[in-house]
Amino acid sequence: MNVAVPALKLLLIAGSARSGAWSVKLRDAARRVAQAAGADASVLDLRELALPLYDGDIEASQGVPAGAATLRDAIAAHDAVLIVTPEYNGFPTPLVINAFDWLSRLKDGLAVTADKPVALLASSPGALGGLRAMNTLRLYLQMTFQMIVVPQQQAVARAHEAFAADGALADAKAAATLTGVVNAVLRLAASQHAAH
Ligand SMILES: Cc1cc2nc3c(=O)[nH]c(=O)nc-3n(C[C@H](O)[C@H](O)[C@H](O)COP(=O)(O)O)c2cc1C
């Protein structure tokens, strides 16, 4: 008997919203890899959450902005998450951190991140490809958010030279690494499904 297995749902997030962002290009390349692996891959634009910079006075007077609940619901609706962070002075961008800080202020915000598989990528025109930011983001997501960050990760250096015309990573070894990262988080999500 054939039993249809629903496609795994992967949520992809880029830590920059600017037009032409390398992290968006890498997010989209990762999305195509996930789709080729049979996943149902969707994108969340952090800018569209319209979250103000975290401010306790805003929280006290207006509550947590609706964008935080949008992020919470998107994470809850997916089996796994993939985040591509740029690097600002060695750290992940405020766009990423601020969104997750707001998420942590929701009563049930941390319940949706706990045990959720997540894969990390970074991109930068620089020589390290955002490696420092990615490693910091790993700690951040593991500690309070209790996400399961897969060991496989990738920092794409010299991002302005890294992409082929079709949007894939031009270097075959880099493309294979990206496939490995995406497959790792999908594998973890699949094993969670199998265990439940
Ligand atoms: C405030 C700021 C700090 C930056 N610090 C770093 C850094 O520490 N390391 C790095 O590789 N690039 C750094 N950059 C350059 C970014 O990698 C570059 O602007 C990149 O294109 C941003 O990512 P995006 O293309 O996804 O928007 C910095 C850029 C800004 C605006």
Side-chain angles (χ1 to χ4, degrees), residues 16 18 20-24 86-91 123-127 129-130 132:
S16 170
R18 75 176 181 90
W22 302 114
S23 51
V24 169
E87 181 171 274
Y88 285 176
N89 299 311
F91 271 69
S123 53
S124 162
R132 297 171 300 170

Side-chain angles (χ1 to χ4, degrees), residues 8-19:
L8 289 167
K9 294 173 129 230
L10 178 68
L11 180 69
L12 297 106
I13 297 173
S16 170
R18 75 176 181 90
S19 47

Side-chain angles (χ1 to χ4, degrees), residues 135-149:
N135 286 338
T136 303
L137 187 58
R138 170 178 294 276
L139 286 180
Y140 174 80
L141 295 173
Q142 283 176 176
M143 286 188 302
T144 304
F145 296 93
Q146 296 181 8
M147 299 186 88
I148 306 178
V149 190

